[in-house]
Amino acid sequence: MTGRPMHRLTLSQALMASLCCLPLWSRAEPGVTIYGLLDTTLRYATHAGAGGRHLSGMNDGAFTGSRLGLRGSEDLGGDLKAFFSLEQGLDPSAGTLTQITPSPNYGQSAAPAGRAFGREALIGLSAGKAGTLTLGRQYTLANVYSSRFRPNANPNQEVLALLVGHQLIRQDNMVKLAVEAGSFSASASRTLGEGTNGASWAVAGAYKAGVLDLAAYAAAMDSAGRSETRRINGLGTAIQLTQGLKAYVGTMRRRDRVSGQANDVWVAALSYAAGSFVYTLSGGEDRQRGVFEGSRQLGWLHLDYLLSRRTDVYAVIDANRITGAYPLPAFMTRRGLQRGAELGLRHRF
């Protein structure tokens, strides 16, 4: 009796057949990314040591703060995604935590020894065109949107920055909603003071198309105990003039309700990229009225050489001049003109 030959399935064929019968899942597996950046500078400055003498030292990065972070997300189906971010700031010159806050004020709780995740600690939901909601310690809208018209975002070192001392960089207990529609984007935030830190609100918007990037923002922040309210308004633009040349200009106004302090700040810069080199020239002024009237003028020149996509070396020369009764910044120990120079090495991983 003859018939069709019988075929036996091998183990690998059986496994493939069973896998083909499994249901298909539309949700991606959650993932966590570990990342970081180390940026260290050697700096020399006049009027920075005791008695106004010169001072040499090692510092955290000039434009980017050193950090170690964790980020993760999970696709929940459709346009919905859950995500988190935990980012720790550190000073590689001593390995210490950064983002120190001596006492609670203007939306930040006290952290005199630094914070475990002082740069960012948030959880969020993204729903595509409907927007993104985030909760936790986050960057202020003023800091995020003013970074659009600064060539290296807002510099990490106070000696190179005019805006961040007025606007603040981060706040605790923040609820933030962000939406995008084509070339337009907008955000709103509310910081819950929780009785001690001081509450705040902020709104911001931006338009980016072609060579033009425009940004504007407004914020109001209460001090601890609501003894003072600080209002911030800012506006600026970045324009790509040629393939390698970009121009930046912006202005910010601060008004304090109780003390009457008023600050008007302007900043401007040019940045040019050619091959592995990036050249940046920046200047600005902070004029203060109402109390301790005077001004601070700032200028700096930055040369960056890209060794690879993740590593670069850079040099900065800067000058700060304090006039009138303008409060003496922490990086100066004598009024007048301070000159500084530093070399930096930065690596991302």
Side-chain angles (χ1 to χ4, degrees), residues 132 134 139-142 144-145 148 175-180 184-190 201-206 216-218:
T132 299
T134 48
Y139 288 91
T140 64
L141 294 185
V144 172
Y145 280 74
R148 300 176 75 116
V175 180
K176 184 189 295 184
L177 177 65
V179 295
E180 293 187 14
F184 294 91
S185 59
S187 300
S189 70
R190 175 71 176 176
W201 62 261
V203 292
Y217 52 91

Side-chain angles (χ1 to χ4, degrees), residues 285-297 320-329 332 334-337:
E285 183 178 33
D286 178 4
R287 289 185 173 272
Q288 182 164 307
R289 295 178 288 106
V291 292
F292 302 109
E293 295 191 358
S295 66
R296 173 189 169 197
Q297 293 96 33
N320 278 270
R321 182 187 295 275
I322 304 299
T323 64
Y326 187 95
L328 193 64
M332 294 179 66
R334 178 179 294 177
R335 309 187 74 80
L337 176 65

Side-chain angles (χ1 to χ4, degrees), residues 244-265:
L245 183 63
K246 198 169 186 178
Y248 308 79
V249 63
T251 183
M252 187 277 299
R253 171 173 290 184
R254 165 186 170 175
R255 296 292 185 268
D256 286 1
R257 176 179 56 85
V258 177
S259 70
Q261 178 178 331
N263 292 77
D264 292 291
V265 183

